[in-house]
Amino acid sequence: MYRIVTKEKLGPVTDFMEVEAPEVAKKAKPGQFVVIRIDEVGERIPLTLADWDDNEGTVSLVAMQVGTSTHKLACLKAGDHILNLVGPLGLPSEIERFGTVVCVGGGVGIAPLFPIARALRQAGNKIVSIIGAREKGLLFWEERMRSVSDELIVTTDDGSYARKGLVTEPLKEILERDKQVKRVIAIGPAIMMKFCSATTKPFGVHTIVSLNSIMVDGTGMCGCCRVSVGDVTKFACVDGPEFDGHKVDWALLFKRQQIYLAEEKRSLELWQSCHCQDA
Amino acid sequence: MEEKPKPKPKIDLNRVPMPRQEPRVRAKNYNEVALGYSEEMALQEANRCIQCPKRTCVDGCPVNVDIPDFIEAIRDNTMPEAVRILKSKNSLPGICGRVCPQETQCEQVCSLGKKGAPIAIGRLERYVADWELSHSSDLSSTLESAPSTGEKVAVIGSGPAGLTCAADLARLGHQVTIFEALHVPGGVLMYGIPEFRLPKGIVQGEVDFVRSLGVDIRLDSVMGKLATVDELLEGDYDAVFLGTGAGLPMFLDIPGENLNGIYSANEFLTRVNLMKAYLFPEYDTPIKIGKRVAVIGGGNVAMDSARCALRLGADEVYIVYRRSRVELPARHEEVENAEEEGIIFKLLTNPKQFIGNDQGWVTAMECYEMELGEPDDSGRRRPIVKEGSEFIIDVDVAVVALGTTPNPLIPLTTSGLETTRRGTVVADEETGKTVKDKVWAGGDVVTGAATVISAMGAGKRAAASIDAYLREES
Ligand SMILES: Cc1cc2nc3c(=O)[nH]c(=O)nc-3n(C[C@H](O)[C@H](O)[C@H](O)COP(=O)(O)OP(=O)(O)OC[C@H]3O[C@@H](n4cnc5c(N)ncnc54)[C@H](O)[C@@H]3O)c2cc1C
Ligand SMILES: Cc1cc2nc3c(=O)[nH]c(=O)nc-3n(C[C@H](O)[C@H](O)[C@H](O)COP(=O)(O)OP(=O)(O)OC[C@H]3O[C@@H](n4cnc5c(N)ncnc54)[C@H](O)[C@@H]3O)c2cc1C
Ligand code: SF4
Ligand code: SF4
Ligand code: FES
C-alpha cells in the first residue's frame, strides 16, 4: 500500500499528488514512469513521474481525468492509499549538454516535462519552454516551468489565457529564429507530439517524444505497448517511452490507443452511475 | 509361521478416471475442469500401485518425490504422513499434481505404464494436497526447520523456481526475501495458467505456505530498476537467486501483426487471469471479445489462450499449428479437453500475414498449408510451406502463442553474467551457479520456457548449492 501524502487540484480535471514510495524516489530519473493499480479491481495504468523527493521518500504524479482509473484516483484524498505502485520504469531521458533545447509540453504532458527540463538546465543547456493547453483550466505549473527555463511561452488553443494558438506556432518561430537549437522535447497528447515532430522535421532538429501507448505490466512482458519506430516494432515500456519523433508511426499509435474505446466508455458510465462526482 | 513365497500382486489395469465438468457446461465458466478424486477413488487408485522395489517412478520425477511412499500413506489412510512425504520433496504438490506433464515424467516410467495403465500419480498428488488444504491443521510445524544462520538471500522472481528455492533456503535456516515485479506472487502460475486449470486459491495457498516458513515477499519490485543485483550484493545480501522466468513474448514478425485485436498470449492471458478481464466491467481491465478467434501455436500456452477465448464468449476458436497432431507440445490432457470443448484444430497451417480494415482492426489471416519434411534439431519433422497453398481464415481476434524468451532486464543491468544467444542465463545444470560470484539462477530463465516442475527442481538444486556455499563461508 502506498500512502498519498498530499493531494491538490491543478485544474477542474487535473490532480496532483505526492505518494509515499521511498525506494522508487531513490532511483527515479527524469523521463521514467510508474505503473499504479488503485484497488483490488483496478487496472494497471502508467503515469509519468512529475517529480520525486528522496529525502521525503515521495514521488509526485499528475493525472488528467479521462476514464475510470483516473476518476477513481481523483476521488482519493491525502491519507488514502493506492494499492500498488511499481517503478521507476522505462529508460530515463538522455541528459547531456546539447546547447539550446526547446521543451514543449501539452496539457498533462507539462508534468513529466518539468523534471526533464530541470535536469537539462542543470546540465548546462539553455532551455526555451513552450507550454500549452486547449483552455486555461487545463494549464498548470507555469511558474515551475518558468523557474527551470531561460524563456517560457504559454499558449491556449481557444485564447482563454496567454497567447492564442497551438504550441507548434511558437515552436516554428523559435526554430526559424534560433539556429542553435540542438534538440526538441515534446510531451503531450499523441496528436500534439505528431505535429511538433512534423514542425521540426524541415529544420532537421532531433526531436524526442514520450509515447503514451496502452500498457499493462510496463516491464516488457505483454507487448501491449508495441509501437513502430523506423519500421521496427518496439515495446514503449522498456525500449522507451522516449523515441525519435521523426521515426514514429503515428497512425499506428493513434489506432492502438483506440482499442478499448467502447469498453472504456462503458466502464466509466458504470462507475459514474454509482459514485460521487464531487472529486 | 512358515515362510511362503509372496503371491505375485494382482495387477489392476483400470486407471480411475478423473471426474470432470461436462464439456458444454465448462466451456462457459472458469471453474476448475478436473474435479479431483473422492476418497474412494483415491483409495482405489492408490491400491493399484504394486510398490515396485525398483521405484522407477521416482526417477521419472524431476524432484524425486517418494511416490510409492506417499501412495502407501494414502492406502493406510495416514494422510498427514502422505502430506509430509510429498512436501519434503515438493513444496507445491497442489500445483504439480494439476499441471505437471505426467505422461512424459513420473507416469511415463511407472511399471504399469508398459501395460498402458500407469498409476495416476499426479491425480493422487493433487488429492493429498487438496486434503491438506481442507484440513488446515498447521502442517508446516510438522516440518523441521534448521536454526537460523543469519545469512541473507535475495530471490528474484516468485514463480515456481523462486518459491521453491526460497522455501528450501528458509527451512535450512537462512533469511530469504523474494522480490517480485508484479502485484501478486506466483509468476506464470498466476498470470499465465488459467483459473479453470489451476485455481488461483491453490496457488495462493502454496504461496502462504512459503510465507509461513518466514520468507518475506516484496511485490511491485522490478529488480534491475528498483535495485540491481550488484546493489543487492553490496548491501544486505550474501547470495542472489535469479528465478525471473522467460517472460518476453515472441511475435511472428509478419505483416499486419500490430493491428488492433492481435495479442501476444502473455497479454491475452494476463488480462484474463491476472487482471480478471473476464469479469469486466466489474473489474476495470478490458479485453476484446472475439467472435472468431485464432490462436497461433500448439503448446500449453496456446491451449490455455484458446480455452480462455471460448469462455469469454467466442463463437469459433481455432488452434493454428504448423506441424501435425502428434507434434503438439501441449499436455496430452489439455489437448483432449480443448477438443472436447469444441476448439477447432487447423493443423499443418501457418500464417503468412494479417489483414486489417481502415480502422486498424484485424479481419482475417492469410495462411499457408504446410507439410512435414526431415526431422530438425529438435527431432521433430520440420514444417515446410506448400507453395501456392494460401488461404484465408476470417478472424477478429488473434493470439500469438509462439513461446517466450527471458526478459533482458536483469542481464542488462548485472555485471559479469553470461547469456546465450537465446537470451538465457548460463548456469551450471547441477548447482544453478552462474559465472558471477554469489549469483545462482534456475527455471525458465536458464532453460527457456519449460515446465513448472523443472523450474522447481532447479530452484531446489540451487538452494542446496547456496546453502553449501553459505555454510562454507561462515
Ligand atoms: C508511459 C506513459 C506515461 C503516462 N503518463 C501520464 C501522466 O503522467 N499523467 C496522465 O494523466 N496520463 C499519463 N498517461 C496516460 C494514462 O496512463 C492514461 O490516461 C490512463 O491509463 C487512462 O486510464 P483511465 O482508466 O482513466 O481511462 P480509460 O478510459 O481507460 O482510457 C482513456 C484513454 O487512456 C488511454 N489508456 C487507457 N488505458 C491505458 C493504459 N493501461 N495504459 C496507457 N494508456 C491507457 C487510452 O488511449 C484511452 O483512450 C501515460 C501513459 C503512458 C503510456
Ligand atoms: C500459459 C502457460 C501455461 C503453462 N502450462 C504449463 C503446464 O501445464 N505444465 C507445466 O509444467 N508448465 C506449464 N507452463 C510453463 C511453466 O509455467 C513455466 O515453465 C514455469 O512457470 C517457469 O517457472 P519460473 O519460476 O522459472 O518462472 P515464472 O513462472 O515465469 O516466474 C518468474 C517470475 O519472475 C518475475 N520477474 C521477472 N523479472 C523480474 C525482475 N526483473 N524483478 C522481479 N521479478 C521479476 C516475474 O514477474 C514472474 O513472476 C505454462 C506456461 C504458460 C505461460
Ligand atoms: S511432481 Fe510432477 S513429476 Fe513429480 S511426482 Fe508429482 S506429478 Fe509426477
Ligand atoms: S512405478 Fe508405478 S506401480 Fe511402481 S511404485 Fe511407482 S507408482 Fe507404484
Ligand atoms: S506494457 Fe507490457 S510489454 Fe510494455
Side-chain angles (χ1 to χ4, degrees), chain A residues 33 43-48 62-64 66-71 108 111-112 210-216 241 257-258 261 264-265:
Chain A
F33 65 94
E43 62 181 334
R44 294 172 63 101
I45 63 160
L47 295 173
T48 318
V62 175
M64 188 158 98
V66 290
T68 306
S69 301
T70 43
H71 277 86
V108 74
S210 180
L211 298 187
N212 44 357
S213 54
I214 297 181
M215 294 186 176
V216 183
Q257 283 181 338
Q258 313 262 310
L261 221 53
E264 283 154 1
K265 194 161 164 261

Side-chain angles (χ1 to χ4, degrees), chain B residues 39-56:
Chain B
E39 188 179 332
E40 249 177 324
M41 292 169 179
L43 263 178
Q44 194 184 334
E45 185 63 18
N47 276 325
R48 288 202 316 120
C49 170
I50 54 175
Q51 296 286 316
C52 320
K54 280 222 318 261
R55 300 163 71 95
T56 45

Side-chain angles (χ1 to χ4, degrees), chain B residues 29-255:
Chain B
N29 69 47
Y30 282 82
N31 302 336
E32 194 168 13
V33 168
L35 301 171
Y37 278 166
S38 64
E39 188 179 332
E40 249 177 324
M41 292 169 179
L43 263 178
Q44 194 184 334
E45 185 63 18
N47 276 325
R48 288 202 316 120
C49 170
I50 54 175
Q51 296 286 316
C52 320
K54 280 222 318 261
R55 300 163 71 95
T56 45
C57 50
V58 177
D59 299 329
C61 167
V63 297
N64 303 118
V65 165
D66 295 306
I67 297 164
D69 303 341
F70 94 75
I71 293 183
E72 191 165 28
I74 300 179
R75 266 210 290 237
D76 296 346
N77 204 13
T78 47
M79 291 305 287
E81 182 59 9
V83 173
R84 195 195 56 77
I85 297 168
L86 252 181
K87 285 212 156 172
S88 68
K89 290 286 170 64
N90 180 349
S91 42
L92 314 172
I95 294 163
C96 293
R98 286 175 166 82
V99 305
C100 262
Q102 288 94 4
E103 69 267 22
T104 61
Q105 296 178 348
C106 52
E107 294 181 16
Q108 188 183 39
V109 291
C110 166
S111 313
L112 298 186
K114 284 178 234 120
K115 303 236 158 56
I119 300 296
I121 301 168
R123 295 173 186 171
L124 289 174
E125 186 166 316
R126 167 180 168 172
Y127 173 74
V128 175
D130 289 358
W131 180 90
E132 188 198 1
L133 218 61
S134 58
H135 293 73
S136 56
S137 49
D138 188 10
L139 289 163
S140 65
S141 55
T142 64
L143 294 159
E144 326 77 69
S145 271
S148 167
T149 61
E151 306 281 349
K152 287 188 178 162
V153 185
V155 169
I156 308 184
S158 65
L163 286 173
T164 309
C165 185
D168 280 17
L169 286 168
R171 273 191 212 160
L172 291 162
H174 307 298
Q175 195 180 327
V176 187
T177 306
I178 298 183
F179 295 95
E180 167 56 49
L182 291 173
H183 58 263
V184 293
V188 168
L189 307 177
M190 287 305 287
Y191 77 73
I193 305 180
E195 178 78 18
F196 56 80
R197 202 147 74 76
L198 179 61
K200 300 309 146 211
I202 302 278
V203 181
Q204 289 315 307
E206 307 282 16
V207 168
D208 289 344
F209 169 72
V210 174
R211 277 204 181 102
S212 76
L213 299 169
V215 174
D216 179 21
I217 305 183
R218 300 221 198 131
L219 303 171
D220 295 335
S221 303
V222 182
M223 305 318 274
K225 290 284 182 189
L226 200 61
T228 62
V229 171
D230 292 285
E231 285 165 343
L232 291 174
L233 289 170
E234 284 157 23
D236 284 350
Y237 297 95
D238 306 297
V240 174
F241 174 76
L242 306 176
T244 46
L248 197 70
M250 289 198 269
F251 283 94
L252 287 150
D253 209 10
I254 58 173

Side-chain angles (χ1 to χ4, degrees), chain B residues 386-406:
Chain B
K386 270 199 218 167
E387 286 308 331
S389 64
E390 287 93 330
F391 66 103
I392 300 278
I393 306 177
D394 289 332
V395 297
D396 53 5
V397 165
V399 180
V400 181
L402 291 183
T404 50
T405 56

